Amino acid sequence: MRQEPLEGPWLDDDAGRLVRPYTVSNGRTKPSAQFDLLTMVMATGQRPHSYLGPDHSHVLQLCGGPVSVAEIAAQIAQPAVVTKVLLSDLVNCGAITSRAPGRAPLSSDPTDRELLEAVLDGLRKRL
């Protein structure tokens, strides 16, 4: 069964992605920040002070809203460890923020009235 042709300068119809994962992560195999597959990440709106590379830019574009590490790895077609290295670079330069699964949603304003009312409604329903 023939797959749809791949697009872009670094893709080949038969060989697939021409850039190896260790090249994307500059040979690094351990991220400098803690992530698991369900960690949610989101862009902060700050741009990195220096250009990190096309893969970092692609990942940053995918972080417009809260998105999981697993979803980003699937979108960029890279192993999870490579994705985590790219994400940790973006966290270190302040371009994205992350939260562990099960924690409060990402919010720029901890006094957001709608959020506080939703929490209060939830507490009232439990009591």
Side-chain angles (χ1 to χ4, degrees), residues 8-24:
W10 300 107
L11 300 173
D12 181 270
D13 289 343
D14 296 324
R17 188 175 174 101
L18 298 177
V19 177
R20 298 290 177 226
Y22 60 83
T23 304
V24 173

Side-chain angles (χ1 to χ4, degrees), residues 12-122:
D12 181 270
D13 289 343
D14 296 324
R17 188 175 174 101
L18 298 177
V19 177
R20 298 290 177 226
Y22 60 83
T23 304
V24 173
S25 65
N26 293 323
R28 294 173 294 152
T29 59
K30 293 187 180 184
S32 58
Q34 185 68 23
F35 296 103
D36 66 25
L37 292 177
L38 298 178
T39 299
M40 300 299 285
V41 294
M42 188 169 109
T44 62
Q46 294 180 350
R47 290 285 176 203
H49 296 293
S50 62
Y51 181 70
L52 295 174
D55 292 293
H56 288 90
S57 296
H58 185 209
V59 168
L60 187 55
Q61 287 175 345
L62 296 173
C63 295
V67 62
S68 71
V69 171
E71 189 172 341
I72 291 172
Q75 289 287 326
I76 66 171
Q78 289 291 343
V81 68
V82 172
T83 303
K84 291 176 185 180
V85 169
L86 295 173
L87 289 170
S88 66
D89 292 344
L90 291 169
V91 165
N92 291 339
C93 71
I96 65 169
T97 186
S98 67
R99 70 172 170 88
R103 295 191 54 196
L106 297 170
S107 176
S108 59
D109 182 13
T111 61
D112 180 2
R113 184 176 181 95
E114 288 182 28
L115 176 62
L116 293 173
E117 287 177 356
V119 170
L120 185 57
D121 289 341

